[in-house]
Amino acid sequence: MRVALVTGVPLEDRSEIGAAYHTRALAEELVKAGLAVEIWSKSGAGAAAASTAPIVPLWRPGWLAWLDIFNAVRERKPDVLHIQYSTFVLGAGAAGEIAMLILLVLLKMRGTNLVVTMHDVPSLAQITPAYIRMNGYKFPALIVRFGLRLIFFAIGSAASGIVVHQEAFAAILARDYAIDRRKVAVIPLIALAHRAIGREAARAALGLSARGKTALFFGFATRYKGIEVLLSATQQLGAAFGLCVLLGAGEHPKVAHTAEYDAYYSGLKRRAESIAGVQFIGFVPDARLDDYIEAADVAVFPYIEAQSMSGPLTICAAHGKALLVSTRIAEKIPSLAPCAFDPSSEALASALAHFFGDPSYRASVESQSRAFAEHAIRGGETVAQTIALYRAAASTSRTRA
């Protein structure tokens, strides 16, 4: 079976969306399982990080992404096309979503065997004026809700199978977007390969204190991830608490180098560097990521909105790391409720103080984090379920023929 996965890919020297890392890991495992797999990535993004699955940079982000991908479908003729969908994946702003809409219509007309993994699944109730301001959208909430309904309707119509990574997102697709629940498969994320080097060795490699309290945040710098909540909590705890916060906040590839985002990012960096105990790392290269995760006592995810399965959270979970998450994440992942805090600086400061000062609370967080990892991040099961979805898509087209 020949499969093409459409997504960005991890890059050597800059950040890329979390779906890119999941897709590369999935593609590599599918190759091991005997499938002929290609990753169709965007062109002009920079040098791709190493991958055992072939990477073909063939689509230009923006208005014409649909044309490049559709031409590749006609010329390369994959048995299954698997789009890893997230908002603006084909280009920034309206251009990316319009390109996706055109592509979906053409794929439907052509009868392409299409599977779509939906990494972003916001509920309609989330789309408020505050949500619009936080994400920097240029359209009012009413238009954004209409756009989501339109693109999700197109996905539901064109795809023979839809993948999400949590039951909560499947429920939103059925309830808010009227997508047939029978089309939606809840498939766990695949565990990413990593080095388990141990806390002491990792801290030595990074020049960190062997005994200090250390918390990690890593991921894109965006307003919805609540980085400001973490910075305020660190200030409230004060230098005397002795917390070292490793802040791996890379520039978001979808909006980096716009005037508005550059101002936000530079302001965030200045504030972080002014707070005692905060080490602003910026983008964490793949080669050092394991060191930072292993060095931390706890990974913190203070998101003030959650509409997808967090890639950084699952990477940390795969390392067996203790997780502190906001209630916004726990609403989507109920098993993490014992690890949750309200997304405010006061609540996070209290959670960190309890984690480092109350052994029973720390043991509970660590236990729940391990349980989440065992349930939500799998290898063989993910691959088997994905291949079954591909076979079902291909058999549907043979039945139609």
Side-chain angles (χ1 to χ4, degrees):
M1 184 178 291
R2 293 172 294 109
V3 178
L5 295 100
V6 177
T7 182
V9 294
L11 304 173
E12 287 185 351
D13 59 352
R14 69 186 75 174
S15 56
E16 187 45 276
I17 59 174
Y21 295 85
H22 166 72
T23 304
R24 180 183 63 179
L26 176 62
E28 290 177 338
E29 292 302 315
L30 291 171
V31 168
K32 290 180 185 177
L35 276 65
V37 175
E38 293 181 334
I39 300 175
W40 292 358
S41 70
K42 56 188 172 184
S43 59
S51 170
T52 58
I55 296 173
V56 184
L58 57 71
W59 52 271
R60 297 160 290 175
W63 293 105
L64 294 178
W66 66 270
L67 179 61
D68 296 335
I69 297 169
F70 189 67
N71 283 339
V73 169
R74 292 191 301 177
E75 295 166 5
R76 304 175 82 93
K77 296 181 173 61
D79 296 309
V80 175
L81 184 70
H82 188 170
I83 295 176
Q84 301 282 331
Y85 174 80
S86 59
T87 311
F88 311 133
V89 68
L90 294 187
E97 295 307 279
I98 292 172
M100 179 63 73
L101 186 60
I102 295 171
L103 176 62
L104 290 167
V105 171
L106 291 174
L107 294 174
K108 173 70 172 177
M109 293 172 61
R110 189 177 187 275
T112 301
N113 299 328
L114 178 65
V115 171
V116 178
T117 293
M118 300 187 71
H119 294 277
D120 283 347
V121 187
S123 69
L124 292 175
Q126 286 180 260
I127 314 302
T128 63
Y131 177 94
I132 298 299
R133 290 191 298 272
M134 180 174 57
N135 287 280
Y137 293 157
K138 307 303 181 184
F139 300 96
L142 182 66
I143 299 300
V144 173
R145 285 194 291 267
F146 172 77
L148 285 170
R149 284 192 174 104
L150 185 61
I151 197 76
F152 284 22
F153 172 79
I155 290 172
S157 298
S160 62
I162 296 171
V163 177
V164 293
H165 300 306
Q166 282 290 327
E167 185 63 43
F169 298 119
I172 292 171
L173 290 178
R175 183 190 68 231
D176 289 11
Y177 301 102
I179 290 178
D180 186 347
R181 181 61 183 83
R182 293 170 296 179
K183 267 193 177 185
V184 183
V186 180
I187 299 181
L189 284 164
I190 195 163
L192 304 185
H194 63 273
R195 293 178 295 116
I197 62 176
R199 179 176 176 273
E200 292 184 5
R203 291 194 175 196
L206 297 173
L208 299 173
S209 166
R211 296 185 179 182
K213 306 180 185 82
T214 305
L216 170 72
F217 171 94
F218 89 93
F220 303 134
T222 58
R223 289 178 175 85
Y224 78 85
K225 292 196 174 181
I227 299 171
E228 293 82 359
V229 172
L230 176 57
L231 294 178
S232 295
T234 307
Q235 281 184 309
Q236 290 177 29
L237 289 168
F241 185 72
L243 178 64
C244 173
V245 174
L246 304 173
L247 191 60
E251 294 180 285
H252 199 299
K254 293 180 183 177
V255 290
H257 311 307
T258 63
E260 181 180 0
Y261 183 81
D262 286 351
Y264 160 75
Y265 190 77
S266 60
L268 182 71
K269 181 179 179 182
R270 284 194 304 271
R271 184 183 177 198
E273 292 175 339
S274 72
I275 299 173
V278 177
Q279 290 189 22
F280 187 88
I281 303 162
F283 169 65
V284 183
D286 280 3
R288 300 309 303 270
L289 180 58
D290 290 335
D291 294 339
Y292 281 105
I293 296 174
E294 293 275 309
D297 296 300
V298 61
V300 181
F301 299 92
Y303 292 25
I304 57 179
E305 284 287 353
Q307 63 184 45
S308 63
M309 187 69 172
S310 169
L313 185 149
T314 55
I315 291 171
C316 290
H319 277 259
K321 195 58 49 183
L323 308 169
L324 287 175
V325 306
S326 76
T327 50
R328 297 295 178 268
I329 292 177
E331 288 166 1
K332 301 296 192 298
I333 311 174
S335 64
L336 286 178
C339 309
F341 54 88
D342 288 334
S344 69
S345 56
E346 295 79 9
L348 176 51
S350 176
L352 286 166
H354 277 90
F355 180 83
F356 287 107
D358 182 345
S360 62
Y361 176 69
R362 179 166 180 162
S364 173
V365 168
E366 291 173 340
S367 174
Q368 286 299 127
S369 299
R370 287 192 298 270
F372 161 72
E374 291 170 3
H375 173 74
I377 309 169
R378 302 172 196 171
E381 183 177 337
T382 297
V383 173
Q385 288 182 259
T386 302
I387 292 174
L389 203 60
Y390 292 163
R391 288 176 175 158
S395 66
T396 298
S397 68
R398 287 194 294 269
T399 301
R400 287 198 304 264

